[in-house]
Amino acid sequence: MSNKANLRLALVANKLAEHGKLGRVAAALLHQLGRVLFSCDIGVGTQIDPSCEFYHLGLGCVIHPNAVVGQNCRFFQHVTIGSGWSGGVAPGDGVPRIGNDVMLGAGCVLLGDIEVGDGAVIGANAVVTKSVPAGCVALGVPAKIGKRN
C-alpha cells in the first residue's frame, strides 16, 4: 500500500460529506474504514493537501476535523493534531494550522490555536502548545523553539 492510501480515503470522505445527509453517512463509513485499515484518524472536514505524505501509513495519527494542513507535509507515526484544553474541563475551540513543507516527527503532539510556519520541523515526541515560526525546530516537552541550520 502506498503511503498516501489513508490520505486518499480521507479526501474522498471529505468530498462525500459535502453532498447532503447520504454523503455524510458515506463519509462517516469511509472514516471508520480508514480507522480500521490504517489505525489513522483523519477527521472528516480536515483541510489537508493531497501532496502530504504519511510514513508507516500514518499508524496511530489523529488529526482534528477542523485542522488545516498545508502542502508537502510529512507525518511520521503517532502524530496528534488537536484542540487544546480550556481550564482542563472541555476542549477549546482552536486547532493547529500547519504551513507547507512541515515535518512532523514520530509521536509529536500539536494542541490548540497555534500556527506552524512553512519549513518547520517538529521533533519526535515534542508537545507543541505555542506557535512555531517558519524554518524553526520545536523539540521537547513542552516544546522549545530553536532556529534551523
Side-chain angles (χ1 to χ4, degrees):
M1 265 188 214
S2 119
N3 63 357
K4 292 192 178 201
N6 61 347
L7 179 57
R8 287 188 193 114
L9 192 64
L11 292 172
V12 169
N14 280 348
K15 286 290 181 200
L16 286 171
E18 298 170 0
H19 295 13
K21 186 174 183 175
L22 188 58
R24 287 190 300 275
V25 169
L29 290 172
L30 280 182
H31 178 245
Q32 292 302 324
L33 179 64
R35 292 175 75 182
V36 169
L37 290 177
F38 304 109
S39 294
C40 180
D41 187 350
I42 301 173
V44 175
T46 301
Q47 294 177 41
I48 185 167
D49 193 87
S51 63
C52 294
E53 293 189 40
F54 287 80
Y55 297 105
H56 311 292
L57 295 174
L59 180 67
C61 289
V62 178
I63 303 176
H64 193 282
N66 296 334
V68 177
V69 181
Q71 299 173 350
N72 300 312
C73 292
R74 296 173 313 280
F75 289 78
F76 286 85
Q77 67 275 15
H78 298 285
V79 171
T80 299
I81 299 173
S83 61
W85 289 86
S86 54
V89 178
D93 292 331
V95 294
R97 292 167 309 285
I98 299 168
N100 301 322
D101 302 306
V102 173
M103 195 279 297
L104 299 147
C108 71
V109 177
L110 287 77
L111 298 173
D113 188 15
I114 61 172
E115 286 192 40
V116 178
D118 295 346
V121 173
I122 309 300
N125 296 314
V127 176
V128 182
T129 57
K130 295 185 174 158
S131 292
V132 178
C136 290
V137 177
L139 300 169
V141 180
K144 302 262 190 275
I145 310 301
K147 287 287 181 194
R148 209 166 146 192
N149 291 334

